[in-house]
Structure formats: C-alpha cells, structure tokens
Amino acid sequence: MELSWKPNRKNKVPIYLQIKEYIIEKIKYGEWPVGTVLPSQRKLAQMVGVNRSTVVQAYEELMSEGLIEGVEGKETKVINTTWNIFAKDAKITDWNYYVKNSLFEPNKVFIQKINKAEFNPNIIRLGTGELSPHLLPVTQMKEIVSSLQIDPTHLRYEEPKGSIQLRMALSEHIQAFGIKASPSNILIVSGGLQAFQLIANGLLRPQSKILVESPSYLFSLNLFQSLQMTLIDVPLDKMTEQMSIIKKMKEQHNASMLYTIPTFHNPTSFSYSEEQRKQIVSLCQSIQLPLIEDDVYRELWIDEPPPRALKSFDYAGNILYVGSASKIISPGLRIGWVVGPDYVIDRLADLKMQTDYGTSSISQAILHQWLEQKHWYTDHVHKVRNELRKRRDFMVGCLQQYFSELASWTKPTGSFYIWLRLNQPISPTLLFERLLERNILIHPGAIYQEKGGVHLRLSYSYESKENMEFALRELATIIREKT
Ligand SMILES: Cc1ncc(COP(=O)(O)O)c(C=O)c1O
C-alpha cells in the first residue's frame, strides 16, 4: 500500500484525528473497501512520520466506530463502509476476491518491493537495470523534441505495425547487426516487454512449455506463467558446453519455443561466440523449435563489438527478434520492436491493436528523429559505452577490494550487470531486508532462477561511484556477519 499523504503539523487538529479522518475519507470514497488490509501500526507510523502511539490512538477510534478490526498480532482490516453503518443491509463488493482469483499472477515479492523502493529518494540502487539519470541524453532529447515539426500524424493513432518512418529507419539501423528486414516485417511495440506479451498471447497456447536459459531475466516476470504456460530452465553453463541439450529438452518437454538473450545476457552479461550462435540457429531450425532472440543490450558493448545477431543467420524465418530503445536512449519512451515473418508480424500487430491501439505516436516520432540524426545517436552511444567502461572498472575494483574472499565474478564485456556468486549461500530474503533497512536495494539471484541463494545481480549503470562503493562495503559487512 502506498501513501502520499502526511499530516499537517501546523493544523490545530490533533495528528491522530487527522490520520483518522484520512482513513475515513479513503473508506468513504471506496478507495479502501471492506477487506482492505491496513498497514501495521508501526508501518503506518513510519509511512506518515509520526509516533506509533499516535497511530494506535487513530486505529482505536476507528475500531470503536466499527470501521476497522484488528486483533493483536494479526492484520488490521476495513470491516465496514461509512455509509454501511447507516444502511445495514447494503451489499459490499469483495474486491479482494476479484484480485485473488483473477488470471494474472502478481509480481514476485522481491520485484514488488524493488518496484516500490526504487522511488524512495534516499535509496541506493545496486542492481537496477537502467542507465543512471546522468547518462540519459537530456540535452539532445530537448533539441529533438523541439525540432519535431508536430503535425496531426503525431497526435493520431498510428498504423497497426507502427509508424512507417520509424520502421524504415529501424530496418536500416538493424542492418548493422547483420539483420535484413523489410519495414513490413517490423512491429513497433511498447517496450520489449510487450513483445513477449504479444508472442505469448498471439502464438502460444495454454500449457505451452518455453525453454529458457537459467538464470534469465524472463524468470523475473510472470507473464507466461499467468497464461498457464511453463518456463523450463536450461542451465546456461550446460547449454554452452553442449548445445544438443536443447534438442533433448525440447523432446523431453515437448517445448514450443526457446527464449534466449544471446548478447550481454541479463543477469550474467554472458555472450555466445559466433560459432555457438550458428549452432543454436541451425539446431533450432533442424528440430523446428522457434526462437525468441532478446537483443536489447547489443549496442552496449564495452570492450569490443559482439558477434552478429542470431537473426542474421536465420534464413528460415525461425527467429523472432526483439529490440528496444530502453537501455540506450530512454526506458520512458516505451518503445521496442519485433522482427519476424509476415504472418507472425501481422498476427502480433492485430493483437496489439486489440491491446492498446498502438504505441505512443509521439514516442515513435521522437525515436525516428534519433535514428535520423545519426551523429547524435552514435555520439550518445559512444559516450554511454565510455561511461559504462569506467563504471564497470570501478565496480570490479571494489569487488577485488571487498569481496575477494567472499565471492567470485566474471568481468563483463558489455551491458550493466555483474553476476556475483557468493562463496557461502545466504538467505536472499534476509540479505535483501538487512540492506533495505540501510537504504540499499539489491537484486537477489532468486529473482532470475529458482535456486538463486548464492547469487546477486549487481549493476554499475545506475549509481555514482561513491554510492557503489559504500553499498558494496555494507553488503560485504553483512555477508561476513551472516556466513
Ligand atoms: C533482457 C531484457 N529484455 C527486455 C527487457 C524489457 O525492456 P523494455 O520493455 O523496457 O524494452 C529488459 C528490461 O530490463 C531486459 O533486461
């Protein structure tokens, strides 16, 4: 539960009454219907910045008026609406029932907590998967936005596959990755994430099995599972040793697709060699296993350019290629793209029209401008790479200093992440909570694989060097205490 409200200390009304009135308003207008679980007294006191005794007083009055109920040590809940007190036989909607019994799974608890904590202004984000605000191209973006000759197209719905200008520009852009795709084979989506949603809804059936490298970013989402599909782990190290494991697992599970992040994999930053890429493509083709190639980090190489995209070796139309502007220009634009055969792109575009009637036309026009202004784009990407290199080197230096006896890691050659392997397992929940108490936010490995107790995903893309070092030192201290 989120509260953006604080009591007014200058107001003559006592604070406990202000809290009581605030809760009554929430109940009165149905924002907190019957069944809503209120924060514990301690939590609410923290949230609104008062003593616990003040909240106790407010809750006691609400209880005596029959609006809420709370038993010592248990949840405090709304049990009555304000009008229901007067209209005793009125019926009340049980929204809890709807929420709990709906189709879509909630996020993993770690992800829910991360999504909330990220917006605490004092938090240090040690695992975040986005560029630091200092690396976002604010100045160029201002110029691009002000140079946009706004006309009605920017304010209208776009065509089903997205802006033709943007698709033409992307068709040219991805040629540099070895991919040949006509604009009609590209669909603009609202971030790479929507591509997975459309693929799941538009191409797969309930009970489908999807092979996924383990660990993987995909395990941090519940979107396939919510559609009654199962993600099957293919251990990444086994895959790199012996690609034939894909065939074995496809047969064993009757799998429908393989999802892979072949370039600067999230969370390990691993990239397949060119040889391995050719093997995956030809193997999947020979066993008729379609592939989703998630390539959102490709341009963020630090040491040397990665091998060509898997899609560039695909002459059979077996690969759905997913890209995004999120990791390079702006996640807030919410723009991604899918490249695939005609039939698939038409199907996904039809579904997209039913889902949101197209990605923001203005965002599409902005990205189009970025791709048109090639020198701006290249200068920006160049700057980001240089910065990421410095940050990566800094974080690796800190790890050498504070973690040489506690953990192991591989120095990444691109993107944002270091997959830290602790020498001793430690409860991810305990570690997460202990650090959160110190305003440090980590991404436990358990988000990305089932048995993630010995890993953490660190990121050097977001925090300042001072914050990185401070947080890593704290992390090392807690690990020492707990192992
Ligand atoms: C591997 C990978 N794919 C896709 C995405 C989704 O990005 P977006 O929806 O912002 O394009 C992310 C975001 O973290 C990611 O790490």
Side-chain angles (χ1 to χ4, degrees):
M1 182 179 286
E2 212 174 293
L3 293 190
S4 50
W5 175 86
K6 292 259 185 296
N8 179 356
R9 293 186 180 275
K10 291 187 187 139
N11 193 327
K12 291 212 175 67
V13 178
I15 292 195
Y16 85 92
L17 277 184
Q18 292 186 41
I19 296 174
K20 180 186 160 192
E21 281 310 313
Y22 174 76
I23 295 176
I24 288 180
E25 288 280 292
K26 288 279 191 191
I27 297 174
K28 188 166 151 192
Y29 293 110
E31 290 185 6
W32 290 358
V34 170
T36 303
V37 177
L38 299 186
S40 68
Q41 295 161 350
R42 190 178 57 84
K43 184 88 196 156
L44 184 63
Q46 255 176 19
M47 287 163 115
V48 299
V50 300
N51 286 330
R52 187 172 158 202
S53 56
T54 314
V55 175
V56 171
Q57 219 176 341
Y59 274 15
E60 275 174 0
E61 291 221 351
L62 290 163
M63 278 182 209
S64 71
E65 288 174 22
L67 285 170
I68 66 171
E69 178 182 74
V71 186
E72 186 68 32
K74 286 207 173 152
E75 297 169 329
T76 304
K77 278 188 182 174
V78 176
I79 53 161
N80 231 329
T81 57
T82 41
W83 53 264
N84 200 32
I85 284 177
F86 305 106
K88 291 270 185 266
D89 55 352
K91 301 275 185 293
I92 295 160
T93 304
D94 182 358
W95 283 112
N96 251 336
Y97 175 86
Y98 282 82
V99 169
K100 290 211 170 101
N101 292 286
S102 59
L103 207 58
F104 225 84
E105 302 270 334
N107 253 318
K108 289 186 171 184
V109 175
F110 280 133
I111 298 281
Q112 287 183 342
K113 290 190 175 179
I114 289 170
N115 287 345
K116 226 180 252 178
E118 280 185 340
F119 292 91
N120 167 353
N122 301 318
I123 209 87
I124 299 180
R125 295 161 63 165
L126 200 55
T128 277
E130 66 178 273
L131 287 178
S132 150
H134 303 292
L135 298 183
L136 293 175
V138 175
T139 314
Q140 299 94 313
M141 191 61 104
K142 279 185 185 158
E143 296 236 11
I144 283 189
V145 171
S146 61
S147 74
L148 266 188
Q149 301 288 325
I150 297 281
D151 66 45
T153 32
H154 299 118
L155 308 179
R156 296 179 55 199
Y157 296 117
E158 275 289 359
E159 50 182 300
K161 290 180 187 171
S163 142
I164 181 65
Q165 286 88 354
L166 177 57
R167 287 185 288 125
M168 281 162 66
L170 280 169
S171 161
E172 197 187 322
H173 186 71
I174 59 180
Q175 269 185 36
F177 318 150
I179 301 173
K180 276 203 72 65
S182 317
S184 59
N185 291 77
I186 299 177
L187 169 68
I188 308 297
V189 285
S190 301
L193 196 50
Q194 191 182 45
F196 312 139
Q197 192 86 55
L198 294 173
I199 291 169
N201 279 306
L203 302 175
L204 293 166
R205 296 160 54 85
Q207 319 308 335
S208 295
K209 311 279 192 314
I210 299 109
L211 303 184
V212 182
E213 292 140 346
S214 172
S216 175
Y217 161 73
L218 207 64
F219 288 105
S220 70
L221 307 169
N222 273 336
L223 68 90
F224 287 95
Q225 296 88 324
S226 292
L227 297 167
Q228 270 94 55
M229 299 171 193
T230 312
L231 302 185
I232 309 280
D233 305 34
V234 188
L236 187 56
D237 46 358
K238 296 231 170 74
M239 216 166 126
T240 49
E241 256 167 44
Q242 194 56 268
M243 286 303 168
S244 56
I245 190 175
I246 299 176
K247 179 167 189 276
K248 204 166 118 208
M249 293 193 72
K250 182 206 178 224
E251 283 163 4
Q252 192 181 338
H253 297 279
N254 190 20
S256 306
M257 259 189 208
L258 169 70
Y259 165 91
T260 171
I261 313 170
T263 311
F264 307 129
H265 172 270
N266 177 3
T268 63
S269 290
F270 171 80
S271 292
Y272 293 103
S273 67
E274 180 153 335
E275 197 41 46
Q276 287 170 324
R277 286 167 196 255
K278 288 182 184 158
Q279 275 179 30
I280 298 176
V281 176
S282 74
L283 176 66
C284 287
Q285 195 178 314
S286 70
I287 58 174
Q288 292 201 316
L289 181 66
L291 261 155
I292 305 172
E293 178 179 19
D294 182 346
D295 207 23
V296 303
Y297 294 102
R298 153 165 301 275
E299 291 183 77
L300 296 177
W301 53 266
I302 295 177
D303 296 325
E304 56 183 48
R308 286 160 53 183
L310 297 186
K311 182 74 183 156
S312 72
F313 303 108
D314 174 28
Y315 302 107
N318 197 37
I319 299 182
L320 306 180
Y321 177 86
V322 177
S324 169
S326 289
K327 307 295 171 179
I328 300 163
I329 306 270
S330 152
L333 277 183
R334 302 309 301 133
I335 299 219
W337 47 93
V338 194
V339 180
D342 274 5
Y343 204 66
V344 173
I345 294 300
D346 288 350
R347 163 73 174 150
L348 301 185
D350 180 61
L351 218 65
K352 179 157 167 68
M353 289 306 270
Q354 297 183 58
T355 309
D356 64 4
Y357 226 79
T359 292
S360 153
S361 310
I362 295 255
S363 282
Q364 296 190 58
I366 291 173
L367 184 62
H368 172 236
Q369 276 304 310
W370 267 100
L371 296 175
E372 285 290 295
Q373 307 291 337
K374 284 199 179 56
H375 60 290
W376 279 3
Y377 187 90
T378 13
D379 287 355
H380 168 65
V381 177
H382 190 69
K383 180 184 149 200
V384 171
R385 281 187 200 131
N386 279 339
E387 275 300 316
L388 287 177
R389 183 178 309 110
K390 287 186 211 153
R391 287 159 167 270
R392 179 224 28 209
D393 292 345
F394 183 79
M395 187 172 256
V396 169
C398 291
L399 291 177
Q400 280 158 351
Q401 191 174 348
Y402 303 111
F403 285 80
S404 54
E405 284 156 18
L406 298 177
S408 55
W409 59 90
T410 303
K411 183 174 171 180
T413 57
S415 79
F416 304 160
Y417 310 114
I418 295 181
W419 188 232
L420 190 72
R421 185 179 203 288
L422 305 179
N423 294 345
Q424 299 291 330
I426 181 164
S427 152
T429 311
L430 189 132
L431 200 58
F432 182 85
E433 295 296 343
R434 288 295 304 278
L435 283 148
L436 198 54
E437 283 162 17
R438 292 165 160 77
N439 276 340
I440 297 168
L441 192 58
I442 55 162
H443 283 228
I447 294 173
Y448 307 100
Q449 64 184 16
E450 218 158 89
K451 295 187 190 85
V454 293
H455 283 102
L456 293 181
R457 185 186 86 174
L458 301 176
S459 157
Y460 44 84
S461 64
Y462 194 83
E463 284 298 340
S464 65
K465 288 180 179 171
E466 297 71 37
N467 283 352
M468 265 191 243
E469 181 163 13
F470 169 78
L472 286 172
R473 238 188 296 128
E474 291 289 302
L475 176 63
T477 308
I478 292 176
I479 292 173
R480 274 211 181 82
E481 282 168 16
K482 292 290 160 201
T483 52

